[in-house]
Amino acid sequence: MPTVILLDVSLSMSRPVPTTDTTETHTRFTLATAAINTFLDYLCIHAKLEYVTLVTFSSVYEVAVPFTREFDNIRVKLPLLDDGDKTCIETALHGVNQLILNEWGYQTPVQIILITDGSSGVGAIGRNRIIQALPLPPTYPGKIHVLPIVSPHDSSLQHAMPLYQKIVDLACNSSNNSNGNITRGAIYSPDQLNVPGVVAAMTRLCEQHYQEFWCTLKCGQLETRVQLFPAPQPASHEGLSASYTLSSQLHVIGFLQQQDLGTPIAISKHLVIPQAQIGSNTTPRENYGSKTPTKEGSSTEGTSTEDDSSDPSKVSNFCVLLHGALKVEGMSAIVQLGSDWWGTLSAWCEVSRARRSCLLLSILRPGASAAPWLGPLDQLGPVEENTTSTDTFPVRSWRSYSGGGSGCAWARPHALLADVQKVLRHARKLPDKTQHLYKELNRLRRAAISLGFAELLTCVGSALERECTALPTSAPPECALQLAHAAAALRDPRTALDIKHTLQPLATNFTVTSMSH
Amino acid sequence: MFPTNHKTIFVLDHTPYFGISSDNPIDFDVAKSRGPGYVPLPPVCKSLWTCSVEAAVEYCRIVWDLFPEGKLVRFVVSDSSAHILNTWATTQQNITHILNGLCLVGPVRRGAGGDVVGLCAAIEGLAESSPTQATRPPPERHFQNRGRIICITSARDDDSIRSLAEIALNTLVQQNKKASTPQPPTTGDATTSSQNLVVHYCHLVIINVTPEKADTRVNNQPVTEMGGGLMSVEVIVCRASALASLLGRLVLPHYKLAITTVTGIPMKEEQNASSSANYDVEIIHSAEAHAGLRATQTAQEATESVVLRWWTPRGAEGGAGGCNGPLWRVTPADVASRPSACLVNFLLNGRSVTLEVPRKGGGRSASHVLAAQGGELWIGALGGRTPYDDPPALSEGAGGRVTDYRIKEFGALMQQNKLHPLRGAGSNARSRARLQRHTTYWPLTISSTLIFNLGSVMEPLTRLVVQESLTEEEVDSCRGVLLSLLGMESRHEFPSAQLPSNLRGKSSGRREEQWRQVWGELEALIRAHSASPAHRALLRTLLECRSHNNHGAEGDSSRATVIRATTDSPLSPVGAGNGNGSSDVWAPRNVLDALLGAPRPPRRPDFAGRMAAGSRVATLYPHLQQDVEAPH
């Protein structure tokens, strides 16, 4: 999740921190700097791909460093920040909302770390006014953590606490948190107002909310350890009876052509980053070759044999093979993520960087029906070589987008009109369209009966009679007979409204006699 | 856990009053008159019944198009008794079932009756558990059971509406009282699962329908709570002709839906194929699809309807693949209209369309994408960065600099392990078991294997051995592969001679070592599969072959016999091993016996001259004469 460090630079942040140690003097601001550096250090090790921005605020807000993975840009900027005037949280949050919507849209979950001076700066009435004015919940999914740089026993903290609690609570109430898979943020108060205190608080925050996610990707006997980025969140929402947590082993169950798979609805997507196999050389199955004379004896690579084991990029990894094969074959892998939960693995390529491709895991909605066109996901299986499967993708749904297929979407007059005109068009083209005429008439009847629309049948009956009178003299006699027959059948009280009855064309031998003339 | 829209029940008034005309004539003679003497048709009016049925059915169509499961609708037709057209069962949740039921109910007939009996039946219906509610085990039955009843009726005045609502509330209270009293302990588990649920909340929508010109003394009533939050009642007065559009509007808040107007869709006219006119189509989908647009809008803009412009697709770009976020199902608001049908067919044929926000100042920004998948239509929102963009290059990560992955072979493995829609449980497990077998011995790179690079020489062994079981013939053909390898080795051929030319250079090394690797890998491969008896038989053969060639100096003699026994080339000497009884004390053996049987004790090799002579008398010193002549 991209992170906003929202740093208070109001004048109160430059207050010196009382200390017994005379060699070093700290202000609240330098403590905040230490906390931010701790945070960036943690990310460097555990979440290098995280995007972070530094926004400063007092009565106005300013984007000091836009979203970046170059954490050093933030470190460099920290000592250069100017002091502001007074703490004004609601303005700052307004700005952050705008920044996030412009940059990430409304679908990407975001974390905000609010580092402030631990004082609301106003009295009880003013504090409640701020709470009223908070631009929360945001329209994007996210959570806010608060890190007040203040001694735990400071009375101003007690006073500001309700405000912070409100911010934390409101932030995760997003209307757009439809997946419900965002846990809430928290307030991380340092135990004591000094560097170790704030560093400890920040470390606690990192460990709770910036945990990297490791798991094992298995495909039969082949396996490799991978990191998923961003770390997946447990899935739980309205339609689900339970909360789903990703298992630590992802099992490939098989493969599908990309066009069969389509793009099922994913609740989140994650990069799959292979990790160096630790001790993989001890498993002969994976690295048989390294023990054989083939490599040792090869004169060209003989010198590089030593590096092979030390440089992880030169040790073969299943992930890279899988990515290459998925890309070449245009296929995706279906992965079991847990019980009753599936995902897909595909080679993914950013449009703007066509040559840099990577393995992407799409986590589907829990449940076997996450991709209806694949059928129930728990019933995907292999076809034995000697049997031919009749079922193919896509598994069609019964939906037809034409009012249930029975053509009774007559709520709008034009639809009814079109159906009646169709009958009359066929009626004018007798005898060629006799079969069509009766087919349409029966369809019309069926719809009219289910809607209790007997008036329509009477009307169509008269219309057919009128067509009969308007027939040109040259028309074959069969036309008049068929039209009269159909009109009578539509008005026959015994048969017209009986759903089990089907109108049949008048059995004639006129075609034969008229041809013999 | 179960929202109010999980269960909806329509109560349709089927009393004689609904047989009267809606007084909203529909004229069929829209075409220009066709000369004199052409009698115009009298316009047709739908009855109130027809109007209410088609409006309710259209409401259902939208719900079921967008929510194939989880959103249930039932119909109760009320006259002298309550006709229940369907249950909560999934098989009865479709329009065909409803229409068939309506056929059986038939048009409005004379006789007494009213809407009350249907309303009471509907309240009972809410207490019945839906299939998903029934799957909850009793200890978890603390969920809220909520529902909505839409009652289409026609009342005399506000008082009769009020009394209708009161009857509904009383029925509900009585029923809840019955449901909450614990069952007598004598009843078994079967009855407890079918026990009625307590209804925690009911949203009753009463729609009072009148013909076009009739006066009504019923007034609209906003949502009012009754019975302490147990029920909320809403009264809407509506002309029969406007009923369909009313329900089309009501369905939106009931299911959190929104309408997008797709504007400027170019369509060719049948009559005038050279030019195309632009059409608009309204589509309905989850309101969440608009969240992105709304997020950046002001309160004023957010109340306006969403109009998105068709962005004619160019080439292969666009498509739902470009959409990183969720997709939502889409259904046209007016299924019967021609432009809707055109758009639906366009999408169902596999094309996708990007939609853009119309901007006054110019400049384009794609906002949504429309596409079909599996015969259904979907909308997805575009835009926004993804937190995983700009990924680290795979080539710099673990295993990234290895260049000789067996990608083609893994592709073949993927093709063999393609998934298909099957029926029945355990399909996933079968598929995983198969993958497990196929990967038991699977070197990742070309340089780490020899046997998989040998191609036709190893066929069909490498293909067959991964099977769950082997037939007699398959075992035999695998043995054939082993024996031909043995033959190659005995002829002092390099295994690498069989490699494609581009690989040959890489696997240099001494011949014996190459062969040792081949046999070692083969053993690893077959041993990994030695679960079935046939596989174990194959393994025994292989071990025989290995034992014959892995013995260095002491076994030279026995090796010679095996070589003779197994080589079948016309160039090989006709010798002791090959059925020449006079020179061999051992009974003749065929190749298979020689391999499977106990190894014969080492014996002195036969005299080379006799071997060369075959059945004739061997000549001593055959080259003596040549040697003498040669120096000349």
Side-chain angles (χ1 to χ4, degrees):
Chain A
M1 289 183 224
T3 301
V4 180
I5 303 175
L6 187 54
L7 175 62
D8 189 346
V9 289
S10 64
L11 217 48
S12 58
M13 286 294 279
S14 49
R15 277 180 294 163
V17 173
T19 171
T20 49
D21 184 2
T22 46
T23 51
E24 270 186 294
T25 51
H26 276 291
T27 61
R28 282 166 170 75
F29 181 78
T30 54
L31 289 186
T33 313
I36 292 173
N37 279 321
T38 309
F39 174 70
L40 296 177
D41 289 344
Y42 184 93
L43 288 194
C44 275
I45 299 166
H46 297 280
K48 271 190 286 239
L49 298 177
E50 212 67 84
Y51 281 99
V52 183
T53 178
L54 178 65
V55 178
T56 58
F57 75 99
S58 52
S59 64
V60 290
Y61 80 96
E62 188 193 357
V63 181
V65 181
F67 279 103
T68 179
R69 281 178 181 158
E70 303 293 326
F71 302 145
D72 281 343
N73 293 358
I74 298 175
R75 284 187 227 269
V76 170
K77 186 78 183 181
L78 281 174
L80 309 175
L81 296 172
D82 295 331
D83 286 345
D85 42 13
K86 71 193 234 335
T87 307
C88 202
I89 289 176
E90 69 274 24
T91 326
L93 288 175
H94 258 299
V96 168
N97 285 353
Q98 219 156 43
L99 173 72
I100 290 171
L101 283 174
N102 286 338
E103 188 96 13
W104 300 100
Y106 66 103
Q107 292 175 348
T108 308
V110 177
Q111 298 202 60
I112 299 165
I113 303 175
L114 171 61
I115 302 174
T116 180
D117 56 3
S119 140
S120 59
V122 286
I125 297 167
R127 183 188 66 198
N128 291 345
R129 203 169 289 151
I130 294 176
I131 290 176
Q132 291 300 316
L134 285 176
L136 295 173
T139 44
Y140 49 85
K143 49 185 163 187
I144 301 182
H145 312 291
V146 184
L147 183 72
I149 309 286
V150 65
S151 154
H153 311 295
D154 200 313
S155 62
S156 68
L157 177 65
Q158 309 309 321
H159 179 74
M161 222 40 177
L163 171 65
Y164 298 154
Q165 195 58 51
K166 198 76 191 167
I167 290 175
V168 167
D169 289 347
L170 279 175
C172 61
N173 274 343
S174 163
S175 56
N176 192 31
N177 191 0
S178 56
N179 291 329
N181 51 9
I182 307 286
T183 54
R184 62 174 50 218
I187 302 168
Y188 294 89
S189 264
D191 301 333
Q192 41 189 336
L193 189 59
N194 53 22
V195 174
V198 293
V199 166
M202 188 51 116
T203 311
R204 220 161 53 234
L205 186 157
C206 288
E207 282 167 358
Q208 285 172 15
H209 295 278
Y210 289 86
Q211 206 57 260
E212 71 238 271
F213 188 92
W214 295 87
C215 59
T216 307
L217 177 66
K218 298 189 89 163
C219 173
Q221 307 263 346
L222 304 174
E223 61 171 80
T224 181
R225 200 157 161 68
V226 294
Q227 186 192 353
L228 300 187
F229 179 86
Q233 307 286 319
S236 63
H237 57 90
E238 195 184 70
L240 297 174
S241 51
S243 165
Y244 288 74
T245 313
L246 214 63
S247 104
S248 61
Q249 291 202 333
L250 312 180
H251 288 275
V252 172
I253 58 164
F255 304 89
L256 281 177
Q257 287 298 337
Q258 191 73 60
Q259 66 262 34
D260 287 337
L261 176 68
T263 45
I265 307 157
I267 56 173
S268 59
K269 296 189 181 181
H270 309 270
L271 291 177
V272 178
I273 304 161
Q275 296 303 316
Q277 309 279 61
I278 301 150
S280 68
N281 284 345
T282 57
T283 55
R285 178 170 46 78
E286 296 248 17
N287 264 313
Y288 188 86
S290 63
K291 286 192 164 180
T292 61
T294 330
K295 246 188 180 167
E296 289 163 16
S298 85
S299 52
T300 48
E301 290 179 42
T303 49
S304 65
T305 321
E306 281 310 298
D307 307 338
D308 280 6
S309 45
S310 55
D311 182 356
S313 73
K314 287 183 180 162
V315 175
S316 58
N317 190 300
F318 169 62
C319 228
V320 184
L321 168 73
L322 179 67
H323 168 263
L326 288 175
K327 197 166 182 177
V328 168
E329 298 286 327
M331 293 179 100
S332 290
I334 300 287
V335 186
Q336 180 123 35
L337 305 174
S339 88
D340 207 29
W341 200 10
W342 289 265
T344 68
L345 263 181
S346 321
W348 174 76
C349 203
E350 220 175 316
V351 184
S352 53
R353 291 167 161 265
R355 294 182 60 200
R356 185 173 288 188
S357 164
C358 59
L359 207 54
L360 194 68
L361 172 72
S362 301
I363 294 184
L364 305 183
R365 276 181 60 119
S369 59
W373 54 93
L374 300 181
L377 293 178
D378 56 338
Q379 296 183 12
L380 288 176
V383 171
E384 298 308 324
E385 272 115 43
N386 39 12
T387 57
T388 49
S389 164
T390 46
D391 288 323
T392 49
F393 298 115
V395 176
R396 285 274 161 188
S397 64
W398 47 265
R399 239 174 313 289
S400 68
Y401 295 103
S402 57
S406 46
C408 63
W410 289 342
R412 295 169 206 232
H414 70 85
L416 177 56
L417 231 67
D419 278 350
V420 172
Q421 293 297 338
K422 200 168 175 185
V423 167
L424 295 183
R425 259 200 319 277
H426 289 318
R428 284 170 205 140
K429 287 180 185 159
L430 292 182
D432 300 346
K433 297 277 182 185
T434 311
Q435 291 303 332
H436 293 92
L437 171 68
Y438 281 91
K439 192 176 152 224
E440 282 303 317
L441 274 180
N442 279 315
R443 204 171 73 89
L444 202 72
R445 260 186 69 235
R446 203 181 161 73
I449 293 168
S450 49
L451 295 181
F453 198 1
E455 298 85 349
L456 175 72
L457 297 183
T458 324
C459 170
V460 173
S462 343
L464 290 179
E465 261 176 3
R466 192 180 61 180
E467 290 300 327
C468 190
T469 58
L471 280 174
T473 45
S474 58
E478 193 200 341
C479 299
L481 287 168
Q482 290 290 8
L483 285 174
H485 168 72
L490 282 181
R491 283 183 295 189
D492 184 338
R494 285 165 304 153
T495 56
L497 291 180
D498 181 3
I499 191 69
K500 294 193 188 77
H501 185 78
T502 313
L503 296 191
Q504 297 291 347
L506 190 64
T508 59
N509 53 1
F510 276 98
T511 13
V512 184
T513 46
S514 60
M515 278 171 72
S516 66
H517 275 302
Chain B
M1 205 59 95
F2 290 103
T4 307
N5 61 23
H6 179 56
K7 291 165 153 183
T8 299
I9 303 183
F10 271 100
V11 177
L12 302 181
D13 195 330
H14 195 242
T15 52
Y17 182 77
F18 270 70
I20 67 168
S21 163
S22 64
D23 284 331
N24 178 43
I26 303 165
D27 196 355
F28 287 123
D29 272 329
V30 278
K32 47 251 161 232
S33 80
R34 300 197 296 170
Y38 194 76
V39 193
L41 288 172
V44 175
C45 293
K46 292 173 184 169
S47 64
L48 295 188
W49 169 249
T50 304
C51 289
S52 49
V53 168
E54 69 183 8
V57 168
E58 174 68 6
Y59 181 98
C60 284
R61 179 192 68 80
I62 294 170
V63 174
W64 286 332
D65 267 357
L66 297 179
F67 305 97
E69 50 191 27
K71 305 292 178 201
L72 311 175
V73 187
R74 282 178 68 174
F75 275 74
V76 176
V77 174
S78 179
D79 44 34
S80 57
S81 62
H83 308 274
I84 296 168
L85 297 192
N86 62 341
T87 65
W88 297 125
T90 321
T91 48
Q92 302 193 4
Q93 293 288 317
N94 60 70
I95 288 193
T96 319
H97 189 94
I98 299 297
L99 289 178
N100 287 344
L102 286 168
C103 285
L104 297 178
V105 167
V108 175
R109 292 184 192 87
R110 271 190 219 114
D115 42 21
V116 174
V117 55
L119 194 56
C120 294
I123 289 169
E124 279 170 34
L126 286 185
E128 292 167 17
S129 48
S130 70
T132 39
Q133 288 177 332
T135 53
R136 292 297 169 80
E140 283 181 30
R141 290 208 170 177
H142 303 300
F143 55 79
Q144 293 279 305
N145 177 39
R146 290 170 285 201
R148 174 174 290 124
I149 295 176
I150 303 177
C151 180
I152 303 179
T153 184
S154 196
R156 207 178 322 114
D157 48 25
D158 282 343
D159 283 343
S160 20
I161 293 275
R162 198 171 307 124
S163 78
L164 187 68
E166 270 159 17
I167 291 170
L169 180 63
N170 279 337
T171 318
L172 193 58
V173 170
Q174 291 304 318
Q175 190 181 276
N176 278 350
K177 209 176 281 173
K178 226 189 297 170
S180 56
T181 52
Q183 293 272 303
T186 45
T187 52
D189 278 343
T191 45
T192 39
S193 62
S194 65
Q195 187 199 338
N196 279 346
L197 302 170
V198 171
V199 180
H200 297 94
Y201 172 75
C202 170
H203 179 206
L204 176 63
V205 184
I206 300 175
I207 301 177
N208 194 72
V209 182
T210 54
E212 211 57 26
K213 291 176 192 90
D215 287 335
T216 176
R217 279 182 285 154
V218 178
N219 296 303
N220 278 336
Q221 274 176 35
V223 184
T224 22
E225 273 196 7
M226 289 175 79
L230 183 60
M231 197 163 99
S232 56
V233 183
E234 184 178 6
V235 181
I236 304 169
V237 180
C238 180
R239 297 289 179 200
S241 56
L243 188 56
S245 63
L246 171 72
L247 279 176
R249 246 189 357 262
L250 281 182
V251 75
L252 304 180
H254 288 175
Y255 294 88
K256 294 190 186 131
L257 304 177
I259 292 184
T260 298
T261 308
V262 181
T263 189
I265 308 176
M267 292 187 198
K268 291 218 183 335
E269 296 288 346
E270 214 175 316
Q271 285 90 3
N272 192 8
S274 57
S275 71
S276 65
N278 285 344
Y279 288 90
D280 291 3
V281 171
E282 282 186 341
I283 54 174
I284 307 180
H285 50 76
S286 163
E288 280 178 42
H290 286 165
L293 292 173
R294 300 300 191 204
T296 49
Q297 277 175 335
T298 61
Q300 173 56 34
E301 288 170 321
T303 55
E304 293 165 10
S305 74
V306 172
V307 178
L308 296 175
R309 194 188 304 282
W310 173 277
W311 187 336
T312 304
R314 272 174 297 149
E317 73 174 31
C323 170
N324 296 313
L327 297 174
W328 298 274
R329 282 192 175 83
V330 165
T331 192
D334 178 8
V335 268
S337 84
R338 237 167 19 90
S340 293
C342 284
L343 175 63
V344 167
N345 286 333
F346 182 86
L347 296 172
L348 288 181
N349 285 335
R351 314 278 308 268
S352 61
V353 169
T354 311
L355 303 177
E356 61 170 328
V357 187
R359 290 249 169 89
K360 287 180 191 90
R364 315 179 81 182
S365 90
S367 75
H368 288 77
V369 65
L370 274 177
Q373 270 181 37
E376 292 185 273
L377 307 183
W378 305 84
I379 191 169
L382 297 169
R385 279 167 76 179
T386 54
Y388 51 82
D389 68 0
D390 196 8
L394 211 53
S395 60
E396 273 142 42
R401 295 202 193 281
V402 178
T403 50
D404 65 339
Y405 286 108
R406 296 171 57 211
I407 285 178
K408 214 174 127 215
E409 288 86 349
F410 199 77
L413 181 134
M414 294 197 310
Q415 296 287 356
Q416 284 163 15
N417 286 279
K418 243 190 198 173
L419 294 171
H420 296 264
L422 301 180
R423 291 202 183 81
S427 305
N428 276 188
R430 276 210 305 288
S431 185
R432 263 171 65 179
R434 187 186 163 107
L435 263 179
Q436 191 85 15
R437 282 203 315 280
H438 282 209
T439 53
T440 345
Y441 178 74
W442 214 94
L444 295 181
T445 55
I446 294 169
S447 59
S448 62
T449 179
L450 246 182
I451 59 167
F452 289 107
N453 301 333
L454 292 178
S456 60
V457 182
M458 297 303 294
E459 277 292 312
L461 186 138
T462 42
R463 182 165 52 84
L464 292 176
V465 80
V466 297
Q467 292 181 8
E468 207 166 359
S469 61
L470 295 172
T471 64
E472 217 31 61
E473 293 102 70
E474 285 167 345
V475 173
D476 280 350
S477 47
C478 290
R479 278 189 184 131
V481 172
L482 296 179
L483 297 185
S484 77
L485 285 174
L486 210 50
M488 279 169 62
E489 187 181 5
S490 72
R491 291 195 300 275
H492 302 289
E493 289 175 26
F494 273 82
S496 55
Q498 301 294 328
L499 295 177
S501 54
N502 55 333
L503 293 175
R504 214 169 288 157
K506 288 184 185 164
S507 53
S508 51
R510 293 203 301 130
R511 191 187 69 228
E512 286 80 3
E513 278 162 355
Q514 287 190 10
W515 278 110
R516 198 177 306 144
Q517 190 192 347
V518 167
W519 292 112
E521 278 196 77
L522 274 172
E523 184 176 339
L525 173 69
I526 298 175
R527 212 178 262 285
H529 286 277
S530 57
S532 83
H535 282 99
R536 279 197 293 275
L538 190 61
L539 179 63
R540 275 198 298 279
T541 313
L542 175 88
L543 294 178
E544 289 287 342
C545 294
R546 281 203 89 173
S547 72
H548 279 303
N549 68 359
N550 256 357
H551 16 45
E554 52 93 77
D556 258 354
S557 49
S558 78
R559 178 178 187 143
T561 27
V562 172
I563 291 166
R564 240 170 272 144
T566 54
T567 48
D568 204 18
S569 117
L571 295 172
S572 59
V574 184
N578 209 8
N580 193 336
S582 65
S583 65
D584 199 329
V585 293
W586 300 100
R589 290 168 142 194
N590 66 21
V591 172
L592 202 60
D593 290 340
L595 288 166
L596 292 178
R600 286 169 172 177
R603 60 188 288 272
R604 200 158 44 87
D606 205 354
F607 171 45
R610 185 151 58 200
M611 278 162 61
S615 54
R616 284 171 286 121
V617 176
T619 338
L620 293 176
Y621 310 117
H623 303 298
L624 188 62
Q625 197 56 37
Q626 293 162 17
D627 286 348
V628 173
E629 283 164 19
H632 294 285

